[in-house]
């Protein structure tokens, strides 16, 4: 099946906020399947694209995850501390270079070989971000530091090494609720990697 590009005409865009990232309101016309043009208005949050990586060890049957505070999750009734795969915004880097740097910053592991597994829009109804998903095998010798993120950027990241089976169970138990992390853990399970 070939992908179809939408027929749209942007009528207007207005910046609503440009503090942390850019929130704009767009007025546009889209051509419906019956050929009629319909005017719509939507807000879109542009924070740039990102990348995420799940580190795994076949011999130990383990994965490296992180735990950090996420204000939006807290506001939505969660305790705020999410267990996640390492991730970050591209910040004008190519996805593979960025995720190698991010893995080392967050987890303390310097990874030589990464494997891109797919790309996905995580919240396409309101956020422009596309996420590049990677996996990589780690060994104890790959550890170069404690990880934990960059303090000056407000990061206070706990590094977790978990048995793979325990990580999968944590999804069922509601302890892992981060979408990108669930996708990567299930990818490892579906492909029989661990």
């Amino acid at each position: 099946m070939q992908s179809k590009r939408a027929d749209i005409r942007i009528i207007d865009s207005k910046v609503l906020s440009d503090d942390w990232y850019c929130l704009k309101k767009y007025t546009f016309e889209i051509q419906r399947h019956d050929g009629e043009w319909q005017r719509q208005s939507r807000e879109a949050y542009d924070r740039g694209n990102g990348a995420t990586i799940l580190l795994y060890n076949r011999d130990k049957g383990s994965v490296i995850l992180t735990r950090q505070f996420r204000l939006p999750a807290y506001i939505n009734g969660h305790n705020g501390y999410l267990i996640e795969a390492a991730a970050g915004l591209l910040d004008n880097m190519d996805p593979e270079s960025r995720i190698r740097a991010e893995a080392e910053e967050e987890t303390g592991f310097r990874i030589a070989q990464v494997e891109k597994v797919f790309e996905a829009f995580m919240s396409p109804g309101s956020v422009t971000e596309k996420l590049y998903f990677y996996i990589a095998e780690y060994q104890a010798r790959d550890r170069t530091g404690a990880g934990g993120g960059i303090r000056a950027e407000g990061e206070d990241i706990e590094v977790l090494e978990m048995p793979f089976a325990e990580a999968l169970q944590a999804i069922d138990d509601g302890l892992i609720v981060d979408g990108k992390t669930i996708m990567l853990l299930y990818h490892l399970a579906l492909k029989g990697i661990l």
Side-chain angles (χ1 to χ4, degrees), residues 13-167:
S13 68
K14 178 182 177 184
V15 175
L16 301 179
S17 175
D18 195 9
D19 185 24
W20 186 247
Y21 297 106
C22 188
L23 175 64
K24 289 184 178 181
K25 181 175 184 175
Y26 290 90
T27 303
F28 62 98
E29 291 179 341
I30 185 166
Q31 190 171 30
R32 299 173 56 84
H33 290 101
D34 63 8
E36 178 186 344
W37 287 88
Q38 182 181 43
R39 187 170 284 211
Q40 296 183 14
S41 178
R42 298 284 187 276
E43 294 176 5
Y45 189 57
D46 186 355
R47 52 176 306 218
N49 292 330
T52 185
I53 190 165
L54 181 59
L55 305 180
Y56 66 93
N57 182 291
R58 285 182 209 268
D59 296 334
K60 294 172 76 173
S62 60
V63 292
I64 298 293
L65 297 170
T66 64
R67 182 175 13 229
Q68 63 183 305
F69 179 75
R70 299 296 197 181
L71 179 65
Y74 179 80
I75 291 169
N76 199 19
H78 189 272
N79 69 16
Y81 286 96
L82 293 186
I83 298 173
E84 306 176 41
L89 295 176
L90 299 185
D91 293 331
N92 298 315
M93 291 177 75
D94 66 275
E96 188 173 313
S97 298
R98 181 69 238 155
I99 202 56
R100 286 175 196 272
E102 199 67 36
E104 189 168 4
E105 287 172 12
E106 290 192 4
T107 71
F109 286 89
R110 181 176 293 149
I111 303 301
Q113 298 289 337
V114 299
E115 178 187 343
K116 182 181 172 192
V117 291
F118 50 82
E119 301 172 13
F121 290 96
M122 297 302 291
S123 188
S126 59
V127 181
T128 62
E129 179 185 30
K130 178 168 50 173
L131 207 52
Y132 297 84
F133 288 76
Y134 292 87
I135 57 174
E137 192 159 5
Y138 74 92
Q139 303 296 329
R141 68 180 174 269
D142 298 326
R143 188 137 212 182
T144 60
I150 300 173
R151 183 183 182 97
E153 293 179 5
E155 294 179 326
D156 185 20
I157 299 170
E158 180 184 359
V159 180
L160 308 171
E161 184 172 34
M162 295 178 72
F164 181 61
E166 185 179 316

